Amino acid sequence: MTPSDSEQTKTQQPDLMDLAQKRDLMQQRVAASLKRRHASEKRFRLYGMAAVTVALSFVAILFITILSKGLPAFWQATLTLDVYFDPEIIEIDEKPVRQPGESDGAFQQRMLAWQTDLGFVNFNRIILNSLAEVLPEAPRYQRDAMRLVTSGERFGLRQLVEDNPAIVGQTLRLKLLADANVDVWLKGNIDRSLPDSQQQLSARTRAWADELAERGIIRNQFSTALFMNADSRSSLASAGLAGAFMGSLMMMLIVMFLAVPVGVASAIYLEEFAPKNRLTDLIEVNINNLAAVPSIVFGLLGASVFILWFKLPLSAPIVGGLVLSLMTLPTVIIATRSTLKAIPPSIRQAALGIGASKVQSVFHHVLPLAIPGILTGSILGVAQALGEAAPLLLIGMSSFVASVPGSPFDQSTALPVQIYLWQGNELRNFFEARTSAAIIVLLALMISLNALAIWLRRHFETRW
Amino acid sequence: MSNLVLMTLLLMVMALAYQLGLTRSKRVAVTTNGTGFRMHSRPTYHGMLVAFWAVVPAAAIFAVWSLAQPGIINALVLAQLPPEFQPTTDTEQRILLRRLANLASGFGLTEEAADYELAAAAYLNQLHGIGRTLMTALMAAVAATALVLAWRRIEPHLRARNQMESIIRWLLIICSTVAILTTVGIVLSMLGEAFRFFTFVNPLDFFFGTTWNPRFSTVGTDGQTGFGMLPLLWGTLMIALIALAVAIPVGLMAAIYMAEYAPSKVRSTAKPIIEVLAGIPTIVYGFFALITVGPFLNQLGASFGLEIRTTSALTAGVVMGIMIIPFISSLSDDIITQVPKAMRDGSLGLGATKSETIRKVVLPAALPGIVGAILLAASRAIGETMIVVLAAGNSPVLTANPFEAVSTMTVTIVNQLTGDLDFASPQSLVAFALGLTLFVITLLLNVVALVIVRKYREQYE
């Protein structure tokens, strides 16, 4: 609007002038507010970006923390020593061989007697002797020297002899795990300037550890103990995940063989066969609610039903598997139902149209198309069960188990529970890293399960 | 014969029965060809039916027998013991049976066995053998009879497909009742144990008491103990509120940004990465809280002159907030994208900026759904266990200070049910009362959330 225009209106219609002025003012106000509104628009957008960045950085911080703490723990201080299995120290009889006609019990008894004899052999002396080869001072300061090697290694040597008594009298080049405190010291996970009274190791042991590390006798080597051993409290350096892994594996198998078939079957019934009535409505509401029940409640259910009523053993993978199956069931049912829902009715109608029965149309035509989706949902359910710890604590799986379970009725722990147990260990400097390593193993398993699920979905996905 | 061998044999019988049924039905089909009769069902259905009858009754016998056998054998063994050696108490009886079982398996005992024990062990062995043989024989007989009967029934009229289909349908129905049974199991077991707890402690004291101090069962219940739930409930709520205070702004803004602003490339990478947070096991969050977030908050507080404990309500709440971000962001994202485009276009057409449209049009329309998502996340936070077990500090006192250690219902359930407690004392039974309360709270939250979400969905679809 030009000024001459406004003047014209002013002269012609005084009322209109007022209006125009108002409009003018309004436009000025809008123009002025526009800046503010655009700024607020920009700010809003920034908030959004900031929120996404914050969420993403939480993921990054979480993974960086775990990886930076845990990765070094996969390598552990290890001594390489020549170990002489001195026949003068290892004085034992021939290993018993089963006689023909001997009963199970009798043979077991002779074997036990032999193993008891072997148990009395002083394997510490053998380790000390081989340490003396590299540290001539070692025999004089036995206590300090023995702190270099983790205490579990003497059982390792005993196992070697038990498996093959022929090595007595030979010299073998063996890798012995260093004590957890030596590992902490060499990795610098403890403040080196702390006074003696606050150090876990004596000054001599520390000096020896540094010396052996310099001479290349103690080296940081990939820790097979972490994967091959069960948990241990006496010999912390050789505590491993094997027991927990087997426990978790058994429970996952139980979940796969119980929750998946039952879940898929009930989803098929609810989606394809069930009449719409009160009862099926109830089942549906019930399943949705069950999916949101806190996992610890399933633990309470397991404790009172499986352990108190059915008298199943405490800490056993069979109970854990049953509890986790019940917990995973709703996930599998919901995933299967949504897959079945996505399959177009035309498939069913075509099958029914050419004379298939209802069961045939479902099992011959609908189900094969739904298999990728069902598999994806089931794998995600199993992965979720793999990471669950809370319900397992309530059925006694948090007890310390130093052996690898051989059957689902044996005592066992699970990977997440093992993480829980390790983070509480007193030797924090060592177990912070080892716990992170266990977390990395657990996350790696879960990520590979999820990746498998994503791959299945991508590979077999059909869009209707 | 071990159970595994027996099961393998049963599977083989199943395969054989299927083959027999298949071949016979094919032969029947050939011989009746041209006589005016047509087979009602395809051969595979005949095979399946024969296999079903051959295996299922035998398997049922196996299950029933395996459940009943130990009790019967023990009773028989105890009955033939000389009267002077009869065990008088339950414990004695259990120990004796254990000893006999060890003797019978040939592994021997640490001390010498008495003559009567040896005799009983021999008898036990004999009974085991007899039981085993009888069961195997019975299973074989039943399997064979059922197989032959089912096999001879094969004729053109037999509606094998219909029979098989109704069997399948029943199996499906049985499977779908498992979910119901689980709920019933949860409710019944918790109610039962909670009622036992309320025979020790007045429900009013439990729900409205303000001291939580359950002594160990050896100390007894002598007025010193307090079973007041309020400190735990308050701890739970405080942590959940802190978690929501972290998760709502971040989750909601992230959802808005990704639904409305983000280019599709950013959206398709950022969304799955944020959802990774939902898949990480909670024990990992607990550890993260303990070694990273707790010390960080502690130092942060120290620099402001605040004393924040490493394990506190704040630590647990912040980490739990991180955990529930994806619940809020994914659900809200879905709901925001469901708001019809026409509403946005109308607002933009009137000259509103994008953020104004979002704040004044899209969000109010999506509000019920977002509230539903927040309630679901809240129920998740209330029932969460491992984070609070590790990071909340476990001190059941009523405090309004989020920098102090607190305790929650879930932590207490874990504490009361781990360790050597007997299930008859109020100290461990209280876990079930707490569990029941937790179950009811989360159930209510979920039901309300689902109702809100469903109501909202109906508006736009």
Side-chain angles (χ1 to χ4, degrees):
Chain A
M1 188 182 294
T2 57
S4 63
D5 276 350
S6 61
E7 244 159 83
Q8 216 172 20
T9 30
K10 190 162 55 180
T11 49
Q12 281 178 358
Q13 276 166 321
D15 285 54
L16 269 185
M17 179 211 75
D18 214 31
L19 244 170
Q21 227 170 20
K22 267 187 187 160
R23 199 166 56 189
D24 226 27
L25 263 170
M26 180 79 141
Q27 279 183 340
Q28 272 165 15
R29 273 227 320 265
V30 167
S33 78
L34 216 52
K35 207 171 163 192
R36 191 172 46 78
R37 286 169 63 203
H38 281 303
S40 117
E41 164 78 27
K42 221 175 236 168
R43 239 179 309 154
F44 193 73
R45 210 188 151 110
L46 266 177
Y47 289 151
M49 264 196 221
V52 174
T53 322
V54 166
L56 289 180
S57 55
F58 279 141
V59 183
I61 294 172
L62 187 71
F63 274 90
I64 290 171
T65 315
I66 301 290
L67 283 179
S68 65
K69 286 232 183 246
L71 281 181
F74 285 99
W75 286 267
Q76 216 177 329
T78 312
L79 294 95
T80 312
L81 292 175
D82 289 321
V83 181
Y84 175 48
F85 288 89
D86 194 342
E88 282 182 17
I89 300 173
I90 311 174
E91 284 180 291
I92 48 163
D93 300 331
E94 291 271 305
K95 188 176 181 175
V97 182
R98 190 169 183 156
Q99 308 287 324
E102 196 178 30
S103 83
D104 257 359
F107 174 69
Q108 195 89 355
Q109 232 152 14
R110 283 205 304 138
M111 195 65 178
L112 273 175
W114 183 76
Q115 280 169 347
T116 315
D117 275 354
L118 191 64
F120 283 119
V121 171
N122 187 355
F123 281 99
N124 274 344
R125 268 208 74 84
I126 293 181
I127 294 178
L128 190 65
N129 286 349
S130 47
L131 274 174
E133 301 277 318
V134 289
L135 294 169
E137 289 278 84
R140 273 184 57 201
Y141 306 100
Q142 283 196 23
R143 280 175 62 99
D144 292 331
M146 287 315 289
R147 288 300 299 274
L148 283 171
V149 181
T150 188
S151 61
E153 286 299 356
R154 59 172 185 253
F155 305 117
L157 296 187
R158 189 176 80 193
Q159 193 63 46
L160 281 179
V161 176
E162 192 181 325
D163 293 345
N164 178 15
I167 60 170
V168 176
Q170 295 177 7
T171 302
L172 298 178
R173 199 169 179 75
L174 292 179
K175 286 177 181 165
L176 304 180
L177 282 177
D179 190 82
N181 283 309
V182 174
D183 186 70
V184 169
W185 171 257
L186 289 176
K187 279 188 182 145
N189 285 341
I190 190 168
D191 187 355
R192 285 191 163 223
S193 58
L194 284 178
D196 270 7
S197 57
Q198 286 178 33
Q199 292 282 1
Q200 296 285 329
L201 298 169
S202 68
R204 185 169 291 110
T205 313
R206 272 150 34 211
W208 274 343
D210 282 337
E211 183 195 333
L212 289 179
E214 198 146 301
R215 283 163 61 186
I217 292 169
I218 296 186
R219 253 182 290 168
N220 228 2
Q221 284 180 331
F222 189 75
S223 168
T224 49
L226 185 60
F227 299 99
M228 308 297 287
N229 292 0
D231 196 10
S232 168
R233 273 189 187 164
S234 57
S235 164
L236 300 177
S238 51
L241 290 172
F245 181 81
M246 271 311 278
S248 275
L249 183 71
M250 283 176 190
M251 285 191 271
M252 291 312 105
L253 286 177
I254 293 171
V255 171
M256 264 183 236
F257 283 106
L258 279 181
V260 174
V262 172
V264 171
S266 38
I268 291 175
Y269 179 72
L270 292 176
E271 197 57 44
E272 303 284 339
F273 293 102
K276 280 275 160 236
N277 60 23
R278 273 269 174 84
L279 185 70
T280 47
D281 271 359
L282 185 75
I283 297 182
E284 195 167 340
V285 170
N286 171 39
I287 286 169
N288 283 333
N289 279 322
L290 213 52
V293 168
S295 61
I296 192 156
V297 171
F298 286 96
L300 285 172
L301 173 75
S304 85
V305 172
F306 297 130
I307 290 177
L308 282 181
W309 289 2
F310 291 143
K311 306 272 179 231
L312 286 172
L314 271 170
S315 314
I318 178 81
V319 182
L322 287 172
V323 169
L324 293 180
S325 299
L326 293 182
M327 205 190 79
T328 321
L329 197 61
T331 317
V332 176
I333 295 178
I334 291 171
T336 308
R337 288 193 69 178
S338 66
T339 313
L340 289 175
K341 259 195 197 110
I343 289 172
S346 58
I347 304 268
R348 296 176 186 87
Q349 285 152 5
L352 295 176
I354 53 170
S357 69
K358 183 79 189 155
V359 174
Q360 284 172 328
S361 88
V362 171
F363 280 85
H364 295 178
H365 302 281
V366 178
L367 205 53
L369 291 171
I371 278 179
I374 293 175
L375 274 181
T376 311
S378 308
I379 292 171
L380 292 180
V382 169
Q384 179 201 342
L386 175 65
E388 198 57 66
L392 301 182
L393 295 184
L394 298 193
I395 51 163
M397 296 203 84
S398 60
S399 47
F400 166 71
V401 182
S403 58
V404 179
S407 84
F409 292 90
D410 291 346
Q411 290 221 318
S412 163
T413 61
L415 279 174
V417 182
Q418 189 71 66
I419 292 169
Y420 171 67
L421 290 173
W422 275 1
Q423 62 77 29
N425 195 294
E426 290 86 6
L427 190 55
R428 285 215 86 101
N429 295 337
F430 185 69
F431 269 95
E432 218 164 71
R434 211 154 180 93
T435 310
S436 306
I439 288 178
I440 292 176
V441 172
L442 177 65
L443 285 182
L445 284 176
M446 292 186 70
I447 288 174
S448 27
L449 278 176
N450 281 296
L452 180 67
I454 291 171
W455 181 81
L456 278 172
R457 188 159 50 199
R458 291 259 165 87
H459 200 75
F460 293 105
E461 190 178 49
T462 335
R463 289 219 173 264
W464 305 103
Chain B
M1 209 182 318
S2 79
N3 288 345
L4 206 63
V5 178
L6 220 50
M7 288 296 111
T8 324
L9 275 179
L10 218 50
L11 278 182
M12 281 158 65
V13 167
M14 193 164 111
L16 180 76
Y18 177 78
Q19 275 307 322
L20 285 175
L22 200 71
T23 34
R24 177 171 161 104
S25 71
K26 279 181 183 161
R27 209 177 56 232
V28 171
V30 172
T31 46
T32 52
N33 201 6
T35 57
F37 292 113
R38 277 186 62 221
M39 290 296 277
H40 170 271
S41 302
R42 307 271 309 148
T44 47
Y45 287 101
H46 288 286
M48 272 153 73
L49 201 60
V50 175
F52 175 83
W53 284 115
V55 167
V56 172
I61 288 176
F62 175 79
V64 173
W65 194 289
S66 307
L67 281 179
Q69 174 167 315
I72 295 173
I73 286 189
N74 284 347
L76 282 175
V77 169
L78 288 175
Q80 67 84 55
L81 279 177
E84 62 268 32
F85 298 119
Q86 284 292 346
T88 45
T89 63
D90 267 9
T91 331
E92 259 182 50
Q93 184 181 337
R94 219 169 41 234
I95 294 171
L96 180 71
L97 288 173
R98 185 86 230 140
R99 276 169 69 87
L100 291 181
N102 278 345
L103 267 178
S105 60
F107 283 101
L109 296 169
T110 41
E111 69 266 45
E112 281 305 307
D115 279 343
Y116 78 94
E117 284 181 324
L118 286 175
Y123 185 51
L124 183 69
N125 255 345
Q126 193 191 347
L127 281 181
H128 266 296
I130 293 176
R132 204 76 209 167
T133 325
L134 270 181
M135 183 183 77
T136 317
L138 190 61
M139 279 172 69
V142 167
T145 321
L147 197 159
V148 169
L149 285 181
W151 183 72
R152 288 180 50 160
R153 271 172 68 213
I154 295 176
E155 50 169 304
H157 302 297
L158 183 69
R159 302 168 72 82
R161 177 172 60 74
N162 302 45
Q163 291 186 9
M164 204 57 226
E165 286 182 352
S166 66
I167 290 172
I168 289 175
R169 206 176 271 240
W170 274 109
L171 284 179
L172 294 180
I173 291 177
I174 291 170
C175 286
S176 63
T177 55
V178 171
I180 289 232
L181 287 180
T182 311
T183 313
V184 172
I186 288 178
V187 172
L188 282 187
S189 67
M190 301 243 269
L191 273 181
E193 309 289 337
F195 273 125
R196 270 172 71 199
F197 170 71
F198 288 134
T199 60
F200 291 99
V201 176
N202 187 346
L204 285 177
D205 289 344
F206 174 68
F207 287 113
F208 301 108
T210 52
T211 37
W212 176 259
N213 182 24
R215 298 297 172 89
F216 285 109
S217 44
T218 47
V219 181
T221 50
D222 54 346
Q224 295 270 319
T225 51
F227 281 104
M229 187 188 76
L230 283 184
L232 307 175
L233 188 64
W234 170 242
T236 309
L237 288 183
M238 184 155 73
I239 292 181
L241 287 178
I242 295 171
L244 288 178
V246 172
I248 290 176
V250 177
L252 199 54
M253 281 313 291
I256 291 171
Y257 181 76
M258 287 201 289
E260 300 284 337
Y261 289 107
S264 66
K265 218 173 180 182
V266 174
R267 184 186 157 87
S268 63
T269 43
K271 207 177 170 193
I273 293 179
I274 293 177
E275 273 164 15
V276 163
L277 284 174
I280 290 175
T282 53
I283 176 81
V284 178
Y285 281 109
F287 184 68
F288 179 63
L290 209 56
I291 64 161
T292 311
V293 180
F296 171 74
L297 289 175
N298 182 306
Q299 279 170 13
L300 195 74
S303 62
F304 288 107
L306 283 172
E307 197 199 337
I308 303 181
R309 297 192 32 155
T310 322
T311 53
S312 64
L314 186 68
T315 312
V318 167
V319 174
M320 201 184 276
I322 298 177
M323 183 192 85
I324 58 177
I325 285 174
F327 291 96
I328 293 183
S329 75
S330 305
L331 274 175
S332 311
D333 190 349
D334 290 348
I335 290 157
I336 289 171
T337 37
Q338 268 177 30
V339 173
K341 200 169 178 328
M343 289 175 75
R344 286 191 188 80
D345 292 346
S347 167
L348 293 173
L350 286 174
T353 63
K354 202 157 183 184
S355 67
E356 283 162 352
T357 308
I358 293 167
R359 271 181 299 190
K360 306 217 167 112
V361 177
V362 177
L363 281 189
L367 197 62
I370 291 173
V371 170
I374 290 171
L375 287 181
L376 281 180
S379 102
R380 190 49 72 139
I382 286 173
E384 172 45 45
T385 310
M386 295 319 287
I387 294 178
V388 275
V389 165
L390 293 188
N394 188 24
S395 107
V397 283
L398 265 177
T399 170
N401 183 356
F403 305 145
E404 289 283 325
V406 294
S407 186
T408 70
M409 300 167 66
T410 49
V411 174
T412 313
I413 293 174
V414 170
N415 286 345
Q416 299 306 110
L417 278 189
T418 46
D420 292 324
L421 284 170
D422 63 310
F423 277 108
S425 69
Q427 277 79 5
S428 46
L429 287 176
V430 69
F432 291 95
L434 286 171
L436 190 64
T437 320
L438 191 67
F439 180 72
V440 171
I441 293 175
T442 50
L443 194 68
L444 285 180
L445 277 177
N446 288 323
V447 168
V448 172
L450 284 180
V451 166
I452 291 177
V453 170
R454 192 168 292 170
K455 211 168 178 183
Y456 162 73
R457 288 237 164 101
E458 277 161 11
Q459 279 182 351
Y460 291 119
E461 269 170 22

